[in-house]
Amino acid sequence: MTSPQRLVWDATARTRGWFVLASATAVLGSAGTLAFPWAMARALDAVVARRSATGPVLVCAALLALVVTTGALQTLANGGYGSGTVATLRRSLARRALDAGVPGTADFPAGDLAGRLSAGCAQAGAAGVTLVTASAAVLTSFGGVVALWLLDWRIGLCFSLGVPPLVLIARMFMNRGSGLFLQYQETQGRISALLLEALGGARTIGASGTAAAETRRVLEPLPELSRTGHRVWALQRDTGWQVGLLIPAVEVLVLCAGGLALLHGDISAGQLAAVVGYTALAMAALDQLDALFALGMSAAGARRVAEVVDQSAPAPGTRPRPAGGHGTVTLSGVTVRSGSRLVLDAVDLTVPAGTALAVVGRSGAGKSTLAALIGRLREPDTGTVAIDGVPLRELTPPALRAAVGYAFERPAMLGTTVAGMIAFARPDASHEDVVAAAGAARADDFITRLPRGYETPLTDAPLSGGEVQRLGLARALVHHPAVIVLDDALSSLDTATEARVDSALAAAWSDRTRLLIAHRVSTAARADLVAWLEDGRIRALGPHAELWQLGDYRALFAASSTGPEAGADHDARPTTEAEADHEARATSEAGADHGTHEHVNPHAQEPV
């Protein structure tokens, strides 16, 4: 596992200028603070002896100016260092999380990941500032102790008696607190994950009347959070009263020794005043409970960030996409596992360039996993995925992104305007490119009806689920990919609109390879080929009309029309095998118009 300390140190190296300034001002401030009681003692002795005190007073003023100036600079440096370090940690975490594909996984739910990205990085990034501040306090305290020893060894000895108890208190605090801080943050992350999940399904919860039950589910970890919080507070309380008793006891002991030294003539009145000042400075090390607490929280935050950074991410390739490639997709012996479950089992599949391939199958058959493999959103455990003969793992990220475009069931509304959302993955896209992509996705008609057309802010655009899906499709098309993957990206469209979109894609992008995750029989009928997934393997591959002769294939659509994958448009799907057969006949001409290939892939298993 990545060392949390190393993680923070690497982030510190990015802002080392601020860190050096913070450290230098802290040292100078400590030096000025330590010199001030000495200068004040000289001024007081000069007044008592009726000598000129101008020089010592000027020295006191200069030291005071030094302390104030360095304090202001240290505050500035701490802010610059802290913000820079936190930003670096957040970039590292976000980049690794996205590269490794961890958002939304069982180990890192979205809410928990958001907590690590916000609070975890902020706490970890504050470690350097806290360490500099605490080190300056310890340095000042050490200097105060040395000064007490130099003034009178008996005074220094009296103060040193308080050091062993302080070390013991600090060690007990960190030993007990480190686990508590981590547990508290992990419980907070669980609540955040549950809350974000509930917010995402707010309409379903409201429609089903389960708000009370969902509230109980979200707040279920709250008693554990409360118990952990009370244990943290109890730890602070116990440490607080121990330090609170230790400090006055040491102060009384030191001042008594100083008073006796003054009575015996071993020190002057000014030096006694210096004893009082140095005692207060030396006590700074005994009063760092807040710093210990902050360091404990920083360590816990750094550990949570390191857990995400430790996730393995696929190494980027170095080869450009070969010139003249048209988007032939090949899967050779591809196997994907999820824990002990076999999601895809030695899949062999070739999708010729320009082919529209519909992937069908029951829930859990591996359809979305196969779609994710095409653009390297997921790595196969074994086997190779290639485009135009080049394995995806060898392609550079820009080449891969240019080769494969994705449209998802729930597109993220990224960007500020409608045009900005479409061009989000290609900021240099011209207005003509944006309009062409929107036209191919059949989105241009409703965009032009918006108040400001393509420049309408997303916050002011009243969009339906189907319209958002068409914008997501336009975003995938704007960079002219050779392969377009539609992962249930048309599920919110009625069958007529879906047919219009598919027809537009076939006309405008006939040379592009299209892979569609299909649940409707009409979608499969319009595709050139259908890949039938079952239990992680391709049971059959061929034209829809040919597969329709199989009873199990027809039953697949009859079952899915009422199953959980039916999507938003239930009324647009056949609910019986007879209705499915009728819709298949009604759309068979559309499939023929798109150049249905009457062949079966020799690498696939034969139909059963």
Side-chain angles (χ1 to χ4, degrees), residues 314 329 369-379 385 387 392-393 395 397 400-401 403-406 483 485 515:
V329 178
T369 299
L370 187 147
L373 292 170
I374 305 302
R376 209 185 177 192
L377 300 183
R378 182 164 182 172
E379 291 285 297
V385 183
I387 292 181
L392 298 187
R393 61 177 175 270
L395 287 174
L400 180 59
R401 297 283 75 83
V404 183
Y406 273 91
V483 180
V485 180
L515 188 145

Side-chain angles (χ1 to χ4, degrees), residues 236-594:
Q236 289 180 282
R237 177 201 62 203
D238 294 342
T239 306
W241 71 256
Q242 292 167 1
V243 173
L245 287 179
L246 179 62
I247 289 177
V250 173
E251 285 180 336
V252 169
L253 189 60
V254 169
L255 291 178
C256 286
L260 291 174
L262 177 63
L263 289 176
H264 289 101
D266 296 329
I267 61 174
S268 65
Q271 290 175 325
L272 179 61
V275 168
V276 175
Y278 284 126
T279 301
L281 294 179
M283 288 298 172
L286 302 180
D287 195 20
Q288 290 298 305
L289 177 60
D290 290 342
L292 290 176
F293 181 80
L295 284 174
M297 294 297 287
S298 294
R303 286 181 61 184
R304 284 171 55 77
V305 173
E307 287 176 355
V308 179
V309 173
D310 272 346
Q311 301 303 303
S312 59
T318 58
R319 290 180 60 182
R321 188 162 156 255
H326 298 289
T328 298
V329 178
T330 306
L331 283 76
S332 304
V334 170
T335 297
V336 176
R337 295 180 177 83
S338 179
S340 59
R341 177 171 168 260
L342 196 61
V343 182
L344 293 178
D345 183 11
V347 171
D348 292 319
L349 174 66
T350 298
V351 185
T355 300
L357 175 73
V359 181
V360 302
R362 291 184 171 82
S363 177
K367 301 185 296 297
S368 291
T369 299
L370 187 147
L373 292 170
I374 305 302
R376 209 185 177 192
L377 300 183
R378 182 164 182 172
E379 291 285 297
D381 292 299
T382 59
T384 302
V385 183
I387 292 181
D388 295 324
V390 180
L392 298 187
R393 61 177 175 270
E394 297 181 10
L395 287 174
T396 64
L400 180 59
R401 297 283 75 83
V404 183
Y406 273 91
F408 298 100
E409 180 182 6
R410 297 181 180 87
M413 301 289 283
L414 302 172
T416 56
T417 65
V418 172
M421 177 183 174
I422 296 175
F424 185 80
R426 188 188 159 197
D428 61 338
S430 66
H431 181 71
E432 290 73 19
D433 291 332
V434 171
V435 172
R442 283 293 188 262
D444 183 69
D445 53 349
F446 71 80
I447 293 176
T448 55
R449 293 196 299 269
L450 293 173
R452 295 172 57 186
Y454 283 87
E455 297 307 315
T456 302
L458 290 177
T459 53
D460 298 336
L463 301 173
S464 68
E467 290 169 342
V468 171
Q469 284 192 337
R470 280 182 274 174
L471 287 180
L473 178 57
R475 180 169 59 196
L477 296 173
V478 76
H479 60 77
H480 306 289
V483 180
I484 178 73
V485 180
L486 306 182
D487 190 354
D488 214 11
L490 306 179
S491 60
S492 292
L493 305 183
D494 57 72
T495 50
T497 303
E498 181 188 2
R500 289 175 56 222
V501 171
D502 189 72
S503 177
L505 289 176
W509 306 90
S510 58
D511 58 337
R512 316 284 171 163
T513 305
R514 283 161 285 149
L515 188 145
L516 307 92
I517 303 301
H519 298 296
R520 296 172 178 168
V521 66
S522 57
T523 306
R526 285 192 295 269
D528 300 329
L529 289 174
V530 177
W532 178 8
L533 278 179
E534 185 171 276
D535 297 329
R537 306 195 73 186
I538 296 181
R539 177 169 173 176
L541 176 69
H544 170 76
E546 181 177 316
L547 298 182
W548 191 255
Q549 306 306 314
L550 303 174
D552 287 350
Y553 181 78
R554 296 195 302 273
L556 175 69
F557 291 99
S560 66
S561 64
T562 57
E565 292 185 8
D569 193 23
H570 297 283
D571 59 339
R573 299 185 183 176
T575 56
T576 67
E577 185 172 312
E579 291 172 334
D581 196 11
H582 173 75
E583 184 175 351
R585 288 193 300 270
T587 56
S588 61
E589 293 183 3
D593 290 341
H594 297 314

Side-chain angles (χ1 to χ4, degrees), residues 153-179:
W153 68 270
R154 291 163 295 189
I155 297 175
L157 179 62
C158 289
F159 182 87
S160 299
L161 293 176
V163 173
L166 170 65
V167 174
L168 181 61
I169 292 172
R171 184 173 181 178
M172 291 176 60
F173 180 87
M174 294 305 295
N175 288 342
R176 293 176 55 192
S178 57

